[in-house]
Amino acid sequence: MRLYVVIGALSITIIPSAYAQWAVYDGANHVQNVLIAARTLQQIDNQITSLANQAQMLVNQGRNLASMPLSTLSTLQSTISQTTALLAQAQNIAYSVQSVEQQYRQAYTSVSSGMPDSALFSQAQTRWQNSVGGFEDALKLQARVVGNIPSDSSAMNQLVSSSQTSTGALQAAQAGNQLLALQSRQLSDIQAELAANGRATALQQAREAATEAESEAQYQHFSQHDAYVPGTVSMFGSSGN
């Protein structure tokens, strides 16, 4: 009985003590744990935001590196080739320094009073053909330049639209570069047209100058003959002057 009483007393003494120990609440420790969890959650949220920003940056870089699908380079090159081919088909006197020097010397500066009439006529005909050919070449080139206007307008509209709807810096830059290329080709057309018109005008002016020299040579050639001396002419059996 004493043993049971002692055990019962010990049980009464220990159990309340253990129960009291389990029920103890540490508020400071709980607050500390909550703060640590909040900081950890904030760090995770910051990392998520950083990763989202990096992903957006990569998307933007991809857009900036995207190439423009529209290209007018082949059309511009084809047009330039056609204009160059027209210039290469220049009649009689080509766009060449050596050709100009040789043919100009033969047809425009070799007129002299000692030349026969047949040679003077042949050179005059050559100069006339050069002038007519020069004006014809200028008209052909003008027709080519005017014919390029509709295609240039279409290309310009497409490039401007592509520039305005570009998804990145590279596409916008490429559209701008192609617009500059189009303007350069148009300036080349203007330069070629001016050259053709100037060539035709120069040939006509050279022809007029050579014609004056030819007239002077013919006058000198004619003046070298003896003066006219009237003679006696017999008509109907009579004589008279």
Side-chain angles (χ1 to χ4, degrees):
M1 291 295 294
R2 290 182 180 177
L3 179 59
Y4 290 140
V5 171
V6 172
I7 293 173
L10 290 174
S11 299
I12 294 173
T13 304
I14 294 173
I15 291 174
S17 177
Y19 181 79
Q21 184 177 0
W22 291 344
V24 171
Y25 172 75
D26 192 346
N29 187 32
H30 180 73
V31 172
Q32 186 67 27
N33 292 334
V34 171
L35 291 176
I36 293 174
R39 294 191 186 99
T40 303
L41 182 61
Q42 184 64 40
Q43 291 177 357
I44 294 175
D45 185 65
N46 293 337
Q47 291 177 357
I48 293 174
T49 303
S50 177
L51 290 174
N53 292 335
Q54 291 179 3
Q56 185 62 43
M57 182 178 62
L58 292 176
V59 171
N60 294 335
Q61 290 179 354
R63 291 177 178 175
N64 290 332
L65 295 177
S67 179
M68 189 177 69
L70 174 66
S71 176
T72 60
L73 180 60
S74 60
T75 303
L76 295 178
Q77 290 177 337
S78 176
T79 306
I80 292 175
S81 298
Q82 293 173 0
T83 303
T84 304
L86 276 179
L87 292 175
Q89 295 172 5
Q91 303 179 51
N92 303 325
I93 297 182
Y95 290 92
S96 167
V97 176
Q98 292 80 7
S99 176
V100 170
E101 289 178 349
Q102 178 182 0
Q103 298 182 28
Y104 190 85
R105 189 183 305 112
Q106 293 175 355
Y108 295 89
T109 61
S110 61
V111 178
S112 64
S113 59
M115 296 178 61
D117 292 339
S118 60
L120 293 175
F121 175 77
S122 177
Q123 286 192 355
Q125 187 177 20
T126 298
R127 291 190 295 269
W128 176 79
Q129 291 175 347
N130 291 343
S131 296
V132 173
F135 285 114
E136 182 180 354
D137 293 338
L139 290 174
K140 289 180 180 178
L141 194 57
Q142 290 172 4
R144 167 59 60 186
V145 171
V146 173
N148 291 336
I149 293 177
S151 60
D152 289 349
S153 177
S154 176
M156 182 179 62
N157 291 335
Q158 291 178 357
L159 291 173
V160 171
S161 176
S162 297
S163 176
Q164 293 176 346
T165 59
S166 60
T167 60
L170 180 59
Q171 289 189 3
Q174 288 178 339
N177 290 338
Q178 292 192 43
L179 282 171
L180 291 176
L182 176 61
Q183 292 179 356
S184 298
R185 208 272 302 146
Q186 291 173 336
L187 290 176
S188 297
D189 278 356
I190 295 175
Q191 184 178 9
E193 183 179 356
L194 291 175
N197 292 338
R199 173 177 176 270
T201 302
L203 287 173
Q204 180 62 20
Q205 291 175 347
R207 175 172 176 260
E208 294 174 355
T211 300
E212 293 180 2
E214 181 183 4
S215 300
E216 180 66 22
Q218 289 178 340
Y219 173 77
Q220 292 180 2
H221 180 69
F222 177 79
S223 64
Q224 291 175 359
H225 295 281
D226 296 334
Y228 172 73
V229 178
T232 302
V233 179
S234 296
M235 298 181 64
F236 305 107
S238 63
S239 61
N241 293 333

